[in-house]
Amino acid sequence: MTESGQKFKIFKFLKIMISSFLITILLLFTVASIRTFSLDVNAGLQLANWEKTKNISLVIDHHQREELIANFKEAIRIPTVSFSGTESNNTALLEFNRLLRKAFPTVFSSKLVHHQLVANYSHLFWVQGSQPDLAPYLLLAHIDVVPASESDGWEAPPFSAKEIDGFIYGRGTIDDKGSVMGILQALEYLLIKGYAPRRGFYIGLGHDEEVGGYKGAVNIVPMLKQHGVQLSFVLDEGLAVLDDVISGLEVPAALIGITEKGSATVKLSVSMAPGHSSMPPRETSIGILAAAVKRLEENPMPRLFGHGPERGTFEHLAHKFRLPMKFIMSNLWLFSPLLGRVLERKPDTNAFVRTTTAVTMFNAGVKVNVIPSLAEAYVNLRIHSAQSLQEVLDLVRSTVGDQRVKIELVDGFDPLPVSSADEQSFGFQIIKKTVLDMFPTVTVAPGICIGNTDSRHFKDLTSDIYRFAPVWFKPGDAKRFHGINERISKKNYEELVLFYFSLIQNCDIQNLPEPHSSVHEL
């Protein structure tokens, strides 16, 4: 074969390869474009014919508004702080108990409501339904709060419930006394109006959620099990309505948590003979431990975006993004690795991408001229849904990679099971309908709760646990959660009351409707 013939064959081969590549790219682009402008996983039940219920309407007059705000402020002023698993403000918890009885007299006196104190300070309410064959549900909230000090930089004292520009400031306004008071206020109004539910339900108020819920929620569970209770769903705190928080999203997003990340607290320690600082060894216990900690920080857990339910969050929101993000979000089958890299750049979105690693405590040394014999550090990990506790511990050991560093699991648990969020999911769809009835311009999506709630203790009683309250978060508001200047607007607190008022009534339907797409097939 001549040289020119060889060149021609090579040229022809390259031409075929380039043409095939371009055709493949064109096909992928065509498929992605069609999906971009057709994907809307929210269609269906929004257009279906829901079972007719005679919902009671609620118009809060001026006197009621003043009263409900006054009761809420009083709840914020009571410092129901949980300091640790063994230390809480019991005096404040007793005072809060008295406030509930004073603020909601109809709830505590109604023949439809059975109330029990649990572990002295937690509460369990059973609201009897007229149709016992309808599976009950559970509304959860918690009374206790994390510590707060005005010296941290609060604009108002953290237990003052001071009003500034229409906002009530104070520890617990978001986490979680808004839900505590909102649920009971909604029930109070319903009972006053003569409401009797078809579907019975429970209200659980824990008093130690901030330190694990091991006295409150953990003791409520066996009380329900004793009566053979199986719950249709559980609704607890967790996610919120994000307004202008997700870049590129054209509307506010109400994210309903369908799972929680797992958690692990790991203790790292190094022990060696003490000595005088004038004759230091080549490496000290502090140096060895500091190097181990640095390796953990410099080598984060693997990026797992797309391997858990977080992909569903963006697919539900995709049709509400602006281009070009709409193109990317609608085609995560193609762009998951790219989006994962973008999300990991910021701490608040990195939490959705991987198991996070946070060194939270470091203890060593007793005197400036003594080489310490012991150095300790505590690492808190929040475990991605695609990993297990054991896998994370194995990665910690391999990353530390030093036999001199002792690694101990203090406590931990696997990620929670993922609850259903499809069109047959009763709890999810009822919550979604209630949100959309109140806020028609909002889009609703399943999400992941990166913190932990009391609801995880109830996984034996239901397969569907949801974590949501209609608290509105603007940019920067997430930092107020367990931070300084926690607050809620008076309008938003009233919306919480209206949300639970509607939700309780919406739960009275017997079955979800058939999706609109199934009823009206073309």
Side-chain angles (χ1 to χ4, degrees):
M1 184 181 289
T2 64
E3 186 177 344
S4 60
Q6 278 187 321
K7 287 183 177 179
F8 176 76
K9 282 199 166 186
I10 293 171
F11 175 76
K12 189 176 180 180
F13 175 75
L14 288 174
K15 187 178 178 180
I16 293 171
M17 290 296 293
I18 292 170
S19 297
S20 299
F21 176 75
L22 290 175
I23 290 170
T24 303
I25 293 296
L26 181 61
L27 284 172
L28 285 174
F29 181 77
T30 302
V31 170
S33 297
I34 292 171
R35 185 173 169 84
T36 298
F37 295 103
S38 62
L39 179 68
D40 182 359
V41 295
N42 285 285
L45 290 184
Q46 291 180 47
L47 301 175
N49 293 317
W50 286 73
E51 182 182 327
K52 298 295 183 184
T53 55
K54 296 179 180 179
N55 280 12
I56 301 168
S57 61
L58 176 62
V59 178
I60 298 174
D61 61 33
H62 177 71
H63 172 72
Q64 288 174 318
R65 183 170 291 109
E66 286 192 336
E67 186 176 53
L68 71 89
I69 291 297
N71 286 333
F72 180 57
K73 285 183 175 180
E74 190 172 346
I76 300 303
R77 292 188 186 107
I78 301 174
T80 52
V81 177
S82 285
F83 298 98
S84 69
T86 57
E87 185 185 1
S88 58
N89 190 335
N90 294 341
T91 301
L93 290 170
L94 289 172
E95 185 181 354
F96 198 89
N97 185 357
R98 291 191 290 270
L99 168 64
L100 294 183
R101 295 172 186 277
K102 182 188 76 172
F104 310 115
T106 312
V107 171
F108 281 89
S109 62
S110 172
K111 292 181 180 179
L112 290 177
V113 182
H114 177 69
H115 169 255
Q116 286 178 276
L117 269 179
V118 181
N120 298 320
Y121 310 110
S122 290
H123 300 260
L124 178 62
F125 300 86
W126 160 239
V127 186
Q128 185 176 338
S130 60
Q131 292 186 220
D133 57 310
L134 298 181
Y137 59 97
L138 169 67
L139 302 178
L140 270 180
H142 66 88
I143 295 165
D144 63 322
V145 299
V146 295
S149 173
E150 187 175 359
S151 62
D152 292 335
W154 284 71
E155 293 179 33
F159 296 102
S160 66
K162 183 178 179 180
E163 274 188 50
I164 303 175
D165 297 329
F167 286 86
I168 300 170
Y169 280 69
R171 180 63 84 221
T173 48
I174 297 172
D175 184 20
D176 183 36
K177 289 179 179 176
S179 291
V180 170
M181 300 298 285
I183 292 169
L184 291 181
Q185 186 68 73
L187 180 57
E188 180 80 4
Y189 285 151
L190 283 166
L191 293 172
I192 288 172
K193 289 177 176 285
Y195 170 74
R198 293 168 66 187
R199 184 183 299 271
F201 63 96
Y202 293 88
I203 299 171
L205 307 178
H207 74 274
D208 63 339
E209 188 272 350
E210 296 293 2
V211 289
Y214 295 108
K215 294 179 182 176
V218 166
N219 281 307
I220 290 175
V221 171
M223 295 174 68
L224 298 176
K225 285 184 175 180
Q226 186 179 354
H227 292 91
V229 173
Q230 280 295 307
L231 299 168
S232 172
F233 69 93
V234 172
L235 176 60
D236 198 1
E237 62 164 344
L239 299 181
V241 183
L242 308 183
D243 188 8
D244 200 28
V245 172
I246 303 175
S247 180
L249 194 64
E250 295 180 317
V251 297
L255 301 185
I256 301 170
I258 58 172
T259 186
E260 294 178 13
K261 296 182 83 173
S263 179
T265 299
V266 175
K267 177 183 175 183
L268 309 181
S269 60
V270 177
S271 297
M272 58 190 306
H276 198 283
S277 62
S278 62
M279 296 175 291
R282 184 185 178 99
E283 291 181 290
T284 65
S285 58
I286 294 177
I288 295 169
L289 185 58
V293 165
K294 187 173 179 60
R295 285 194 292 276
L296 285 175
E297 291 187 331
E298 290 182 341
N299 297 278
M301 294 284 168
R303 186 174 60 250
L304 294 169
F305 180 79
H307 295 275
E310 68 279 355
R311 176 170 167 172
T313 301
F314 291 97
E315 288 182 336
H316 274 76
L317 299 176
H319 65 297
K320 295 295 186 181
F321 275 92
R322 294 186 290 271
L323 290 170
M325 290 302 294
K326 183 175 183 177
F327 184 79
I328 294 172
M329 298 300 182
S330 299
N331 295 282
L332 292 179
W333 58 276
L334 185 60
F335 294 114
S336 278
L338 173 63
L339 184 57
R341 288 182 179 276
V342 172
L343 292 174
E344 69 180 353
R345 293 176 181 176
K346 294 182 179 180
D348 51 350
T349 51
N350 180 57
F352 294 101
V353 171
R354 58 167 45 87
T355 295
T356 54
T357 306
V359 183
T360 54
M361 296 174 65
F362 200 111
N363 303 311
V366 293
K367 203 170 183 287
V368 294
N369 61 348
V370 176
I371 303 295
S373 61
L374 178 66
E376 297 177 332
Y378 288 83
V379 181
N380 186 250
L381 303 110
R382 298 303 172 107
I383 305 170
H384 187 276
S385 297
Q387 283 185 308
S388 68
L389 173 60
Q390 188 57 53
E391 288 170 340
V392 167
L393 292 176
D394 291 344
L395 280 168
V396 168
R397 291 189 178 95
S398 64
T399 303
V400 169
D402 190 333
Q403 295 297 321
R404 296 171 297 177
V405 181
K406 184 179 180 182
I407 300 172
E408 301 172 79
L409 176 65
V410 178
D411 57 57
F413 50 88
D414 286 319
L416 274 292
V418 179
S419 301
S420 64
D422 57 29
E423 292 187 328
Q424 283 75 49
S425 174
F426 184 85
F428 186 89
Q429 295 299 337
I430 290 293
I431 298 164
K432 179 178 178 178
K433 173 178 169 55
T434 308
V435 170
L436 292 175
D437 286 347
M438 288 188 65
F439 311 111
T441 61
V442 164
T443 189
V444 179
I448 298 173
C449 195
I450 59 175
N452 296 119
T453 69
D454 268 347
S455 66
R456 64 189 174 90
H457 299 299
F458 293 82
K459 65 181 186 298
D460 291 344
L461 298 178
T462 180
S463 58
D464 287 328
I465 297 175
Y466 304 104
R467 304 144 182 97
F468 172 79
V471 177
W472 284 71
F473 276 11
K474 295 277 190 180
D477 282 342
K479 294 180 180 178
R480 302 177 191 274
F481 193 85
H482 282 202
I484 63 171
N485 295 322
E486 185 180 345
R487 68 181 190 179
I488 191 171
S489 71
K490 292 194 293 184
K491 177 177 179 289
N492 197 185
Y493 174 63
E494 190 173 317
E495 288 170 340
L496 258 70
V497 176
L498 291 167
F499 172 79
Y500 292 115
F501 187 90
S502 297
L503 179 80
I504 290 169
Q505 295 183 82
N506 287 341
C507 285
D508 272 346
I509 66 169
Q510 296 195 55
N511 299 295
L512 291 175
E514 287 294 318
H516 179 77
S517 56
S518 300
V519 178
H520 304 281
E521 287 184 342
L522 295 176

